[in-house]
Amino acid sequence: MKKLKGRKSLFTAIVLVLALSLQACSGSNNGGSSESAVSNGAASTSSPEPAGSTESLKPYEVSIIYFGAPQRDDALVEAKLSEYFKEKFNATVDLQPIASSEYKQKTELMLNAGEPMDLVFTASWLNFFGNVAKGAFLDLDDLLAKYGQGISENLNPIYLEAPRYKGKLYGIPTNKEITQGKAYTYRKDIIDKYNIPIEDIKTMSDFEPWFKLLKEKEPELILDFIKESGEGMMYETRSNFRAIGPTPNKIPLFLYDYTNTDNIQIKSVVDPEISSIAKAEYELNRSYYEKGYINSDAATTTTEIGDLRKQGKIWMQQAVWKPGADIELKIASDNKYDFVSKVIEEPIVTTDLAAGSMFSISRTSKDPERAMMVLNALHTDPYAVNLFVNGIEETHYKKISENRIEPIADSGYGGTALFWVIGNQLINYLKPGQPDDLYSSWKEFNDAAKRSPLLGFVFDESPVKNEITQLTSVIGEYRAASTGAIPDPAKMLEERNEKLKKAGIEKVKAELQTQIDAWKAEQ
Amino acid sequence: MANDTGNRIGGISAMSNLILNTAFVILSLLCFLPVLLVIIVSFTDGQSILTQGYSFFPNKWSFIAYESIFKDFQTILSGYRVSLTITILGTALSVLLMALYAYPISRADYPFRNAFTFFLFFTMLFNGGMVSRYLIYTQVLDIKDSYMALILPMLIVPFNVIIMRTFFQTTIHPAVIESARIDGAGELRIFLRIVLPLSLPVLATMALFSTIGYWNDWFNALLYISSENKYPLQYLMMRVLNDVQYLRNNVELAAQNPTMMKNLPNESLQMAMAVIGMGPILIAYPFFQKYFVKGLTVGAVKG
């Protein structure tokens, strides 16, 4: 009897708890279901069968997951874009911006969970090839031929060679500068003041007399700012070797001679030929460090070069270069200084660079055709892409001329850099400070770009994962050796190379060579 | 004051008193100064942080960080609203549910005690991982982008349930429960009128843990929330800080787009956000304080 009573009230308690939690659920859902349909909401309303030909397109919402911080007026722009696309091909859009720091984690989860999505921003540095191998994206060759003719017309054909896996296309690159050269970029006022012949400075060793002069005359300057690694452009300035394969902590481990197109031989950093380059550069840095040309905290500093540039402490830096880069730097340093560059390296197009910013279509898309139509519009239609990137005229920017705008400060849209993310940057409006011929010079730059003989090759790291982990830890341990802040860098280099050999660098090299040969044979 | 302590029995000498007091003053300063520094840096001009570093006596004061935060005060306000809502709701629910779980498994006469304890304990040792949890939340329970997704994950903390169970076992004498039953109370009445009032310290502890947990949680928002008006305050701040961090760590991306670096919030803004996020939790703490000091001075069983 007593027991029964106990059971009964226990039952009551359970029921109570359940009731309470249910109430909590429904309460929060009522409070929570406001505007902005989530992807699952969108999925339930849209038609499950893909649209047929172009005759009668059913209404469909294309979700766009892209790399950028959410902005206050996202909803306004979304509504405008939807209105526009609805007239064109009966599609609305659901903009899903994800902030840069969480983009990778969040999209990986969404892809793994098989959430319904259409257009997803991806890139070589966002594990694009890994996701393709997992089957996260649709193969785009046919879709591009059918619904993306505008894309193929606009895009430099080299672009479409990179995002391929086993010969099939899985991503549509954003149309912008296809590659970047490396350059020494100088502050113009210093160059003019001391008549420094930047044409004649081709390697770090050419700086010696100028460092000496400036040390005396401009004690405020950090002559050679080094952070984390002092390798800089040593391979580009002293050889034809370029990096390939895994580069832990941005230190290249394997290189190839890019001028030798027929017979690609991989060399690793323990190879004497490569090692001698490194040794020379490390020792040079050490001597510069001892003379006080390099910042004394080179091994440990976390200071941002951009901050130092704004303070006027940087007169020279090793930078990536494309047409307009000097102006970008000027804008980034609050227009305080003019910059001038001497391009050191012939820009070459590599897989990673050409696949540096793309949209793919998720395999969970319920209407890939429509997704491709939207993407096509973003590549060809100046109204659509500028609405997406810069917002609404008169609300977020003022038009100055046909293709030039003045953004309105704190307007709630346009503060996030989307120009390099969305569609086609070459039909974006120009912003203050950008030269009129920016895009035509980019086109020339793209057309003139030399292809890497390995364009389209992607290294599959899985067979040598363990070795790469070990190599990475060795690299991390000796990272500061190149900065000049550590005594006897040559000895450090030898020690490092010994450890790299022990960690299996030769095995990784052999694997890389095997994969390249196999890839070559397929071409 | 100090001189009577020395004369009392069991008192301490003035010297030891001084030493002890000094030690505690130093300890308190160690806790307090970093917070003060954060507040000062949040009022420091960005340029002087660059040139001078963090300092208690900055060269130049400025309100610019707070100005730029409150320019967007709608967002901050909605962040506050969400954070407070989930903290209050979540804490209340969480403590209630954990108590309801912990009490039965603390009772020796409950037949399925071991099974339920194991069921709870097992999740402490093994969990399905992020992807499976994400799948369950988004596809089975379908609570993506709802407040439930912020409340549910931290509702039951196995470790805390076990602490509660132990507390019930050690402080609630079975005789108390027995006498209540003899007086005609049912299980529910015993739990609500006898056990819970006797367990205020542990309930307060758990409530504090929960409050801090909910208030500081940003990770669940990162995973499950996608509409701007449902983001808790901590997540909004985390996002700003993370984005700065991300750009600093991905030098190449930044080098390709110097314009991205241009609008980076400087450190005074980050500190200002920390100051704004600290407020409520500092205010909440004193409310729990009294329960910890009191401890338990209850004897309900005649020896």
Side-chain angles (χ1 to χ4, degrees):
Chain A
M1 185 69 217
K2 195 172 84 174
K3 210 166 187 161
L4 192 94
K5 191 162 166 51
R7 283 284 167 83
K8 208 164 158 183
S9 45
L10 179 82
F11 177 74
T12 324
I14 290 175
V15 169
L16 256 177
V17 168
L18 282 176
L20 270 173
S21 48
L22 273 178
Q23 208 180 0
C25 281
S26 62
S28 65
N29 272 352
N30 287 345
S33 60
S34 57
E35 1 113 86
S36 135
V38 210
S39 48
N40 52 38
S44 58
T45 51
S46 65
S47 57
E49 75 254 21
S53 58
T54 43
E55 46 202 49
S56 64
L57 288 166
K58 290 198 176 69
Y60 182 71
E61 184 173 59
V62 177
S63 57
I64 307 179
I65 289 89
Y66 59 98
F67 189 92
Q71 304 176 72
R72 206 170 50 230
D73 285 352
D74 278 339
L76 282 181
V77 172
E78 186 183 284
K80 270 266 191 205
L81 266 177
S82 292
E83 199 182 308
Y84 184 67
F85 286 143
K86 200 152 186 65
E87 278 171 29
K88 282 193 112 65
F89 33 73
N90 207 8
T92 50
V93 290
D94 170 18
L95 302 188
Q96 296 186 28
I98 298 178
S100 54
S101 53
E102 358 180 299
Y103 190 86
K104 192 168 175 179
Q105 188 178 27
K106 212 163 169 170
T107 45
E108 293 271 317
L109 263 180
M110 289 160 97
L111 290 169
N112 287 341
E115 278 190 23
M117 333 182 242
D118 300 302
L119 290 169
V120 184
F121 177 83
T122 175
S124 49
W125 43 273
L126 288 169
N127 191 21
F128 165 75
F129 291 101
N131 283 322
V132 168
K134 274 193 293 197
F137 301 128
L138 291 176
D139 153 21
L140 301 176
D141 283 309
D142 298 347
L143 286 171
L144 184 69
K146 263 199 203 128
Y147 303 101
Q149 285 113 338
I151 299 177
S152 328
E153 280 163 28
N154 276 315
L155 215 52
N156 188 323
I158 297 184
Y159 262 130
L160 296 176
E161 291 177 36
R164 288 182 181 274
Y165 180 74
K166 297 191 173 160
K168 292 202 173 92
L169 181 73
Y170 288 94
I172 306 288
T174 302
N175 198 3
K176 50 186 190 81
E177 80 285 4
I178 195 163
T179 175
Q180 289 152 338
K182 294 234 168 88
Y184 290 124
T185 299
Y186 305 91
R187 236 174 70 189
K188 201 162 179 312
D189 55 325
I190 301 276
I191 299 301
D192 295 344
K193 190 170 168 186
Y194 298 101
N195 284 323
I196 299 172
I198 59 174
E199 289 300 319
D200 300 345
I201 299 178
K202 296 194 177 71
T203 66
M204 281 314 290
S205 32
D206 299 338
F207 279 101
E208 178 94 43
W210 304 109
F211 279 162
K212 203 169 165 173
L213 175 81
L214 291 172
K215 175 110 188 128
E216 205 176 304
K217 306 260 185 193
E218 303 276 346
E220 276 295 286
L221 293 176
I222 298 174
L223 298 172
D224 182 4
F225 179 71
I226 286 186
K227 177 182 175 177
E228 291 171 351
S229 155
E231 296 202 347
M233 308 189 300
M234 64 183 189
Y235 297 119
E236 289 85 352
T237 52
R238 293 169 185 263
S239 72
N240 286 332
F241 288 114
R242 296 293 178 268
I244 177 89
T247 45
N249 288 333
K250 310 197 177 63
I251 306 269
L253 284 174
F254 304 99
L255 301 105
Y256 67 102
D257 184 341
Y258 80 103
T259 53
N260 187 348
T261 44
D262 312 322
N263 175 24
I264 298 164
Q265 284 304 321
I266 299 296
K267 289 191 185 303
S268 77
V269 289
V270 298
D271 188 286
E273 200 177 349
I274 307 288
S275 232
S276 62
I277 296 174
K279 184 166 172 269
E281 191 84 0
Y282 286 17
E283 281 177 337
L284 180 73
N285 278 342
R286 180 63 190 164
S287 73
Y288 282 167
Y289 185 86
E290 281 169 338
K291 290 172 186 155
Y293 303 154
I294 292 174
N295 46 316
S296 57
D297 56 0
T300 52
T301 185
T302 54
T303 314
E304 213 36 67
I305 193 165
D307 292 339
L308 294 168
R309 214 187 302 119
K310 277 187 206 173
Q311 292 172 49
K313 290 184 178 171
I314 300 288
W315 78 284
M316 178 279 295
Q317 61 185 93
Q318 308 183 29
V320 289
W321 185 88
K322 60 186 185 238
D326 295 343
I327 291 158
E328 278 189 7
L329 266 190
K330 180 183 173 177
I331 296 170
S333 56
D334 299 337
N335 296 319
K336 280 186 204 157
Y337 306 104
D338 280 318
F339 291 90
V340 54
S341 289
K342 166 76 181 93
V343 182
I344 297 294
E345 178 208 26
E346 178 183 32
I348 54 170
V349 184
T350 60
T351 313
D352 279 355
L353 280 172
S357 163
M358 306 184 287
F359 269 101
S360 291
I361 298 181
S362 164
R363 73 179 159 80
T364 55
S365 170
K366 296 201 162 43
D367 193 344
E369 291 83 0
R370 208 79 60 91
M372 184 56 88
M373 288 180 205
V374 167
L375 191 56
N376 191 49
L378 291 173
H379 270 266
T380 52
D381 188 333
Y383 173 80
V385 72
N386 280 298
L387 178 57
F388 203 150
V389 173
N390 299 313
I392 300 159
E393 192 176 349
E394 294 304 323
T395 315
H396 303 125
Y397 64 85
K398 288 202 169 2
K399 246 184 149 164
I400 296 172
S401 70
E402 188 51 37
N403 64 344
R404 192 172 271 288
I405 58 166
E406 176 77 54
I408 297 169
D410 296 320
S411 64
Y413 202 88
T416 300
L418 290 178
F419 48 83
W420 62 278
V421 175
I422 307 295
N424 183 352
Q425 197 182 341
L426 305 183
I427 52 174
N428 275 201
Y429 295 140
L430 291 162
K431 294 215 183 67
Q434 291 180 324
D436 284 332
D437 63 353
L438 178 70
Y439 297 139
S440 53
S441 60
W442 275 11
K443 273 208 181 73
E444 277 167 39
F445 182 71
N446 285 358
D447 292 340
K450 193 177 156 81
R451 321 151 49 118
S452 153
L454 285 170
L455 178 68
F457 169 76
V458 179
F459 180 48
D460 173 13
E461 296 183 2
S462 48
V464 284
K465 248 201 156 59
N466 292 343
E467 284 79 5
I468 289 177
T469 313
Q470 288 182 34
L471 293 173
T472 306
S473 78
V474 175
I475 288 289
E477 194 182 335
Y478 286 91
R479 196 174 179 176
S482 60
T483 59
I486 313 280
D488 204 356
K491 193 165 136 271
M492 297 283 280
L493 194 65
E494 258 166 54
E495 259 177 49
R496 185 196 76 175
N497 288 352
E498 278 312 305
K499 284 198 182 176
L500 287 176
K501 279 178 198 159
K502 279 205 187 82
I505 195 166
E506 295 298 335
K507 186 180 165 190
V508 182
K509 179 181 136 179
E511 177 65 31
L512 187 55
Q513 187 72 53
T514 313
Q515 286 189 26
I516 287 175
D517 294 342
W519 174 82
K520 259 298 207 218
E522 272 176 28
Q523 298 293 306
Chain B
M1 292 266 286
N3 50 13
D4 356 318
T5 52
N7 309 336
R8 277 212 326 256
I9 294 168
I12 46 172
S13 70
M15 190 61 200
S16 333
N17 200 9
L18 184 74
I19 292 173
L20 279 174
N21 277 339
T22 319
F24 278 107
V25 164
I26 290 170
L27 203 61
S28 313
L29 280 180
L30 284 178
C31 297
F32 173 68
L33 287 180
V35 179
L36 184 69
L37 185 62
V38 165
I39 294 171
I40 288 176
V41 171
S42 74
F43 284 105
T44 307
D45 182 70
Q47 208 55 38
S48 50
I49 295 179
L50 278 182
T51 48
Q52 189 191 1
Y54 296 155
S55 153
F56 285 103
F57 311 101
N59 295 334
K60 200 169 155 210
W61 299 87
S62 111
F63 289 93
I64 192 105
Y66 288 94
E67 275 169 28
S68 57
I69 286 181
F70 285 108
K71 212 184 296 175
D72 206 9
F73 83 104
Q74 284 295 348
T75 317
I76 299 281
L77 216 62
S78 112
Y80 256 119
R81 188 177 48 79
V82 175
S83 277
L84 281 172
T85 312
I86 62 165
T87 304
I88 292 166
L89 254 177
T91 303
L93 258 178
S94 163
V95 172
L96 177 71
L97 289 178
M98 291 202 294
L100 283 167
Y101 199 119
Y103 174 64
I105 59 175
S106 77
R107 287 271 299 268
D109 52 349
Y110 176 52
F112 307 111
R113 199 168 109 216
N114 291 340
F116 275 102
T117 312
F118 176 75
F119 180 69
L120 181 82
F121 185 62
F122 187 79
T123 60
M124 283 171 72
L125 302 175
F126 303 99
N127 67 53
M130 202 163 66
V131 174
S132 60
R133 188 172 347 136
Y134 184 85
L135 282 170
I136 295 282
Y137 278 21
T138 52
Q139 299 186 5
V140 179
L141 300 174
D142 204 14
I143 53 173
K144 191 172 196 268
D145 208 26
S146 76
Y147 293 121
M148 209 55 217
L150 297 174
I151 291 175
L152 198 64
M154 293 188 293
L155 221 41
I156 301 264
V157 183
F159 188 67
N160 291 356
V161 175
I162 286 173
I163 292 178
M164 271 176 131
R165 184 205 64 171
T166 312
F167 184 92
F168 289 144
Q169 269 173 343
T170 49
T171 55
I172 312 283
H173 201 285
V176 180
I177 294 168
E178 205 177 350
S179 63
R181 177 162 301 133
I182 290 166
D183 289 342
E187 285 294 355
L188 203 60
R189 184 181 289 257
I190 292 173
F191 177 67
L192 294 173
R193 304 294 297 276
I194 313 270
V195 176
L196 287 188
L198 286 180
S199 314
L200 282 179
V202 82
L203 294 181
T205 312
M206 292 310 147
L208 182 73
F209 284 171
S210 275
T211 307
I212 291 176
Y214 277 111
W215 184 259
N216 286 341
D217 173 57
W218 52 271
F219 191 68
N220 289 309
L222 186 158
L223 294 185
Y224 304 112
I225 302 293
S226 48
S227 49
E228 202 66 4
N229 60 355
K230 291 202 196 71
Y231 283 126
L233 187 68
Q234 303 290 342
Y235 168 83
L236 292 168
M237 300 195 313
M238 203 63 211
R239 191 166 70 189
V240 172
L241 302 191
N242 275 344
D243 285 356
V244 175
Q245 216 47 48
Y246 183 83
L247 283 179
R248 302 218 151 168
N249 294 339
N250 288 276
V251 184
E252 282 158 23
L253 186 67
Q256 289 170 26
N257 305 289
T259 28
M260 281 173 86
M261 298 295 284
K262 185 180 171 230
N263 304 325
L264 279 193
N266 57 24
E267 296 187 305
S268 62
L269 182 76
Q270 299 175 22
M271 297 299 176
M273 292 189 124
V275 171
I276 285 182
M278 258 184 324
I281 211 77
L282 287 179
I283 297 164
Y285 192 77
F287 289 103
F288 294 107
Q289 180 74 5
K290 61 178 185 197
Y291 298 105
F292 304 130
V293 176
K294 250 194 195 155
L296 202 59
T297 49
V298 188
V301 184
K302 279 193 180 154

